[in-house]
Amino acid sequence: MAPISRIQGIFKPEFKFGIGGVSLGNEFNKITDREAQQALEEAWNVGVRYFDVAPWYGLGLAERRFGHFLHNQKRSDYLLSTKVGKLLKASKNNSHETMYPLSDSPNDLVIDYTGDGVRRSIEDSLQRLGVDSIDMAFVHDLSPDFAFFPTPWEEQYEIARKGAFPALSKMRDEGVIKGWGVGVNTPMAILKVMVDADPDVCLCARQYSLIDHEDTVENLFPKVREKGVGLVIGSSLNAGFIGGSPRYNYGAENYKIPPKVIEKRRKLREVAEQFGVDLKTAAIQFSAAPDVAVALVVGAGSDRQIREDWNSLQTKIPNEFWQELKDRSLVHQDASVPFV
């Protein structure tokens, strides 16, 4: 089995649907090890074979949980991605309560986008995961919205441009990893890295959802098509907001939801009710539809959630629903929709 191929020059993972590690790192709620194991077991049982995690998620907690499950699976049977740029250092006086209060992590965060730093990051992740290789490495949160940079983000980007980017290209060429890119919450770093380096695939973490996708359609998608870079799409539900969560995206102030966002969700719900469509199902299918979306990653904190998300991809939605969204200008006219 070959988890990665290239079709017309674009990096194509064999597995198009994955589970991400944010929720299982206790970003939103306290999840027990047993509950995390049940979620990962259910993901595997329904057919999920792509797993995306990061040192940042729970400051090591998510990688340990994923590794506890994955080290019992045949390595060639699944696709694995993690992030680089954030090292962890155990400390009795750690600051996890500031960064990841529900994680109970013993670790402090060390930002390091140097070449040596990303090599160490991958080695540390392999040890936490208990596996011998990863497939894709994403340079994590290299954009202005990350709150814990020790210096301005422009300085951190320059460190990555000179250090992380060439180091990851070399590791790819040597066969240590199969591909790399950036994993960010804003399109800016994806656009920049395609000018400054040669990424294969980037994680578009919250820029393409039913709620928020216009800028991505108009500015990001044309560039990645031009460069032959694939996108893994994340947060199709805006951290659960589309499904009814009282939060929107990530961060300490994600409870401060813009009124226009709440109003757009209301209008989307209105159309969904008109056609008897589950809005969460529509949102997941929408984020998976673009030609440049080589994979979709969803967060799930329970076996029920991952089962529902998997089933959402199998559900048929009437074409009239998507046309109505375009007619009401709730979806960009150039956005791909999953017509059947």
Side-chain angles (χ1 to χ4, degrees):
M1 180 178 293
I4 302 294
S5 63
R6 289 182 182 273
I7 299 174
Q8 295 179 341
I10 297 178
F11 186 90
K12 292 278 187 180
E14 180 177 344
F15 307 116
K16 303 297 195 299
F17 181 74
I19 181 173
V22 174
S23 294
L24 298 186
N26 289 7
E27 164 85 13
F28 308 117
N29 301 294
K30 278 268 192 180
I31 295 170
T32 67
D33 289 341
R34 182 178 179 181
E35 290 168 331
Q37 184 76 2
Q38 289 173 338
L40 291 166
E41 287 177 354
E42 183 65 12
W44 189 272
N45 290 339
V46 298
V48 174
R49 294 295 184 271
Y50 175 24
F51 299 85
D52 175 72
V53 71
W56 172 243
Y57 303 155
L59 296 175
L61 178 62
E63 283 191 324
R64 293 200 307 274
R65 285 173 164 174
F66 274 57
H68 181 71
F69 174 76
L70 289 174
H71 87 276
N72 289 315
Q73 312 303 325
K74 186 178 179 182
R75 181 62 189 87
S76 59
D77 284 352
Y78 62 88
L79 185 73
L80 177 63
S81 59
T82 192
K83 318 297 189 309
V84 297
K86 297 177 180 179
L87 301 175
L88 302 179
K89 182 178 180 180
S91 171
K92 290 183 178 179
N93 300 312
N94 65 77
S95 55
H96 85 265
E97 290 187 358
T98 300
M99 297 181 178
Y100 249 100
L102 301 179
S103 71
D104 296 327
S105 174
N107 297 318
D108 271 333
L109 176 69
V110 179
I111 301 293
D112 191 341
Y113 292 116
T114 65
D116 288 343
V118 300
R119 280 185 282 268
R120 178 181 165 187
S121 182
I122 289 177
E123 180 60 34
D124 288 353
S125 288
L126 292 175
Q127 292 186 30
R128 281 188 294 268
L129 288 161
V131 298
D132 60 14
S133 65
I134 65 167
D135 297 300
M136 299 181 292
F138 297 117
V139 184
H140 204 190
D141 281 335
L142 194 59
S143 60
D145 62 298
F146 185 64
F148 299 105
F149 283 144
T151 61
W153 94 270
E154 294 90 347
E155 293 182 18
Q156 294 299 315
Y157 181 88
E158 190 62 14
I159 292 171
R161 187 184 68 80
K162 294 178 179 178
F165 298 171
L168 289 167
S169 289
K170 184 177 180 181
M171 293 173 75
R172 176 198 59 207
D173 296 343
E174 292 172 345
V176 178
I177 58 176
K178 294 185 175 71
W180 73 274
V182 295
V184 289
N185 294 325
T186 62
M188 181 186 304
I190 298 177
L191 292 168
K192 282 180 66 61
V193 74
M194 289 189 297
V195 173
D196 295 333
D198 59 344
D200 308 279
V201 58
C202 292
L203 176 59
C204 187
R206 71 175 190 208
Q207 309 97 300
Y208 195 75
S209 70
L210 272 177
I211 294 287
D212 181 14
H213 59 268
E214 289 80 5
D215 183 53
T216 299
V217 169
E218 294 177 0
N219 298 309
L220 181 60
F221 283 0
K223 288 295 184 181
V224 295
R225 288 190 187 102
E226 176 186 330
K227 296 289 187 177
V229 174
L231 292 177
V232 173
I233 305 294
S235 196
S236 57
L237 302 179
N238 296 106
F241 173 76
I242 290 178
S245 169
R247 60 178 178 262
Y248 180 66
N249 293 331
Y250 307 107
E253 296 189 341
N254 63 0
Y255 62 91
K256 296 181 179 179
I257 305 174
K260 67 178 183 180
V261 169
I262 295 174
E263 175 63 10
K264 183 166 185 180
R265 182 176 65 178
R266 185 193 67 78
K267 292 178 178 179
L268 289 168
R269 283 175 170 172
E270 185 179 273
V271 178
E273 290 172 3
Q274 177 184 342
F275 289 90
V277 170
D278 174 61
L279 188 57
K280 283 176 58 178
T281 292
I284 288 172
Q285 292 194 17
F286 176 79
S287 292
D291 59 314
V292 294
V294 298
L296 175 72
V297 168
V298 300
S302 69
D303 52 350
R304 177 188 58 81
Q305 285 182 336
I306 190 61
R307 186 168 57 249
E308 289 177 351
D309 290 346
W310 175 266
N311 290 338
S312 288
L313 282 178
Q314 325 307 322
T315 302
K316 301 298 184 184
I317 294 177
N319 293 341
E320 292 78 10
F321 167 78
W322 299 112
Q323 190 59 55
E324 184 71 10
L325 291 184
K326 290 203 170 188
D327 289 345
R328 295 196 188 190
S329 297
L330 294 172
V331 165
H332 194 286
Q333 293 302 309
D334 295 332
S336 300
V337 293
F339 283 134
V340 293

